């Protein structure tokens, strides 16, 4: 389950269909498969005298799954925060589609993150007092949008939570809570989903279930996914692994296997 390329039914076969951009016309029309979902140009982020991100340029293409890897302190979280509009670079530009994030006021940036970006974090970040359905639809509620019931039903089925819609997070396992968080990230049909160590707290089998959901979002609906991870087995679900060291991109690996990622990792 956690070493996808070692088994037959997993991402290699899925990747062969990776250019297939699903049955959801609205989504497909908006995302222009193959174009740029997010582009970073010469992005630098400094904290005092620390350069966390050093002149990084990168494009996340629509309908792709990218793993960001690197040792602790190499700049992975900073990269994700700058690419997703959670933080502003010290210099350089970030574009989501045609929108340059640096030109946005804070309120517009907040709205953009809510409406056009999906997030999955290690800690799930569900609202304890809300049931599964309200947690999943929260970004729609906050954005004053009505749920597209067909899409909501599909997302809920995909993550396997249809029987649990009235449960509170405390009644769910960690893996189930993370599946709810994945559904919440997908419900707005975001242009890109950023997942920061989403499986770090899960056992390998449960982690595999969550990663498979992200893979399916790419293969079945043309979603764009960026995964920050320390785990070579998790990176093996991606189309490309990108390696960071001291705030710079030092390598990339297409169709990564866990073994190949580990080998590259050892020389970082
Ligand atoms: N808010 C901050 N203030 C000061 N320094 C920071 C801040 N955030 C990150 N840094 C520094 O920037 C560098 C990159 O940090 P970052 O968290 O992006 O690395 P990372 O690869 O995500 O690490 P980890 O795998 O441990 O989470 C580190 O040297 C870190 O100490």
């Amino acid at each position: 389950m956690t070493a996808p390329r070692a088994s037959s039914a997993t991402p290699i076969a899925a990747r062969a269909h990776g250019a297939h951009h699903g049955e959801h016309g609205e989504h497909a029309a908006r995302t222009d498969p193959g174009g740029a979902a997010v582009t970073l140009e010469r992005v630098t982020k400094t904290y005092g005298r620390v350069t966390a991100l050093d002149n990084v340029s990168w494009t996340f293409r629509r309908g792709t799954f990218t793993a960001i890897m690197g040792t602790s302190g190499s700049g992975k979280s900073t990269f994700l925060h700058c690419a997703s509009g959670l933080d502003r670079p010290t210099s350089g530009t970030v574009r989501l589609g045609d929108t340059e994030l640096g030109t946005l006021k804070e309120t517009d940036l907040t709205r953009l993150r809510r409406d056009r970006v999906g997030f999955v974090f290690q800690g799930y970040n569900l609202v304890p007092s809300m049931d599964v359905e309200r947690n999943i639809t929260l970004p729609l509620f906050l954005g004053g949008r009505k749920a597209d019931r067909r899409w909501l039903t599909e997302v809920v089925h995909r993550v396997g939570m249809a029987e649990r819609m009235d449960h509170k997070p405390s009644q769910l396992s960690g893996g189930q809570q993370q599946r709810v968080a994945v559904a919440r990230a997908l419900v707005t049909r975001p242009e890109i989903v950023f997942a920061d160590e989403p499986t770090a707290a899960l056992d390998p089998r449960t982690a595999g279930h969550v990663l498979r959901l992200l893979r399916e979002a790419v293969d079945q609906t043309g979603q764009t996914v960026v995964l920050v991870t320390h785990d070579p087995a998790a990176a093996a679900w991606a189309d490309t692994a990108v390696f960071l060291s001291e705030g710079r991109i030092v390598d990339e690996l297409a169709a990564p296997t866990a073994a190949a990622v580990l080998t590259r990792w050892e020389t970082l």
Side-chain angles (χ1 to χ4, degrees):
M1 184 63 78
T2 53
R5 264 166 218 87
S7 68
S8 58
T10 42
I12 285 188
R15 186 176 295 112
H17 300 100
H20 166 72
H21 295 276
E23 57 274 30
H24 297 282
E26 182 197 324
H27 181 92
R30 210 178 69 186
T31 55
D32 173 24
V38 166
T39 304
L40 293 88
E41 277 175 16
R42 298 179 158 274
V43 170
T44 292
K45 178 73 180 179
T46 57
Y47 296 104
R49 285 156 58 172
V50 175
T51 302
L53 219 51
D54 189 2
N55 203 26
V56 166
S57 297
W58 188 261
T59 297
F60 294 105
R61 300 238 153 256
R62 289 173 175 149
T64 62
F65 189 160
T66 307
I68 309 288
M69 305 213 66
T71 53
S72 193
S74 58
K76 301 183 296 298
S77 295
T78 306
F79 187 19
L80 183 144
H81 290 169
C82 288
S84 64
L86 280 171
D87 205 351
R88 294 181 187 270
T90 308
S91 62
T93 58
V94 179
R95 282 194 308 279
L96 173 68
D98 293 332
T99 309
E100 190 176 327
L101 305 193
T103 64
L104 301 180
K105 289 183 295 197
E106 213 51 51
T107 46
D108 294 330
L109 197 54
T110 302
R111 192 172 304 129
L112 172 140
R113 286 195 305 264
R114 185 190 62 214
D115 295 344
R116 297 173 58 186
V117 182
F119 292 96
V120 185
F121 297 104
Q122 178 179 340
Y124 322 135
N125 295 5
L126 303 179
V127 180
S129 59
M130 292 184 176
D131 65 18
V132 165
E133 175 160 1
R134 288 188 69 203
N135 265 289
I136 292 174
T137 55
L138 186 60
L140 298 170
F141 175 75
L142 292 174
R145 291 159 68 182
K146 275 176 69 176
D148 168 348
R149 296 309 298 189
R150 257 183 63 194
W151 178 238
L152 176 62
T153 302
E154 168 153 358
V155 164
V156 165
H157 273 93
R158 269 200 209 171
V159 302
M161 297 306 291
E163 313 298 317
R164 301 273 190 159
M165 292 296 265
D166 57 352
H167 283 56
K168 298 273 171 59
S170 61
Q171 297 172 294
L172 304 174
S173 69
Q176 288 166 337
Q177 289 186 58
Q178 196 59 300
R179 279 151 52 191
V180 173
V182 170
R184 181 184 55 189
L186 294 174
V187 78
T188 57
R189 301 174 187 264
E191 290 163 54
I192 190 163
V193 172
F194 290 96
D196 195 357
E197 296 277 5
T199 56
L202 304 177
D203 69 74
R205 185 181 167 83
T206 309
H209 288 143
V210 170
L211 293 164
R212 181 186 295 278
L213 293 174
L214 296 174
R215 181 74 245 175
E216 286 173 356
V218 174
D219 295 335
Q220 295 176 9
T221 21
Q223 186 63 60
T224 309
V225 174
V226 179
L227 168 74
V228 166
T229 182
H230 285 110
D231 178 5
W237 289 84
D239 301 308
T240 306
V242 174
F243 295 87
L244 280 178
S245 178
E246 298 180 354
R248 291 169 174 262
I249 293 177
V250 291
D251 204 359
E252 62 182 284
L253 205 57
T257 62
V261 167
L262 197 56
T263 303
R264 183 65 191 87
W265 179 273
E266 281 165 357
T267 59
L268 278 182

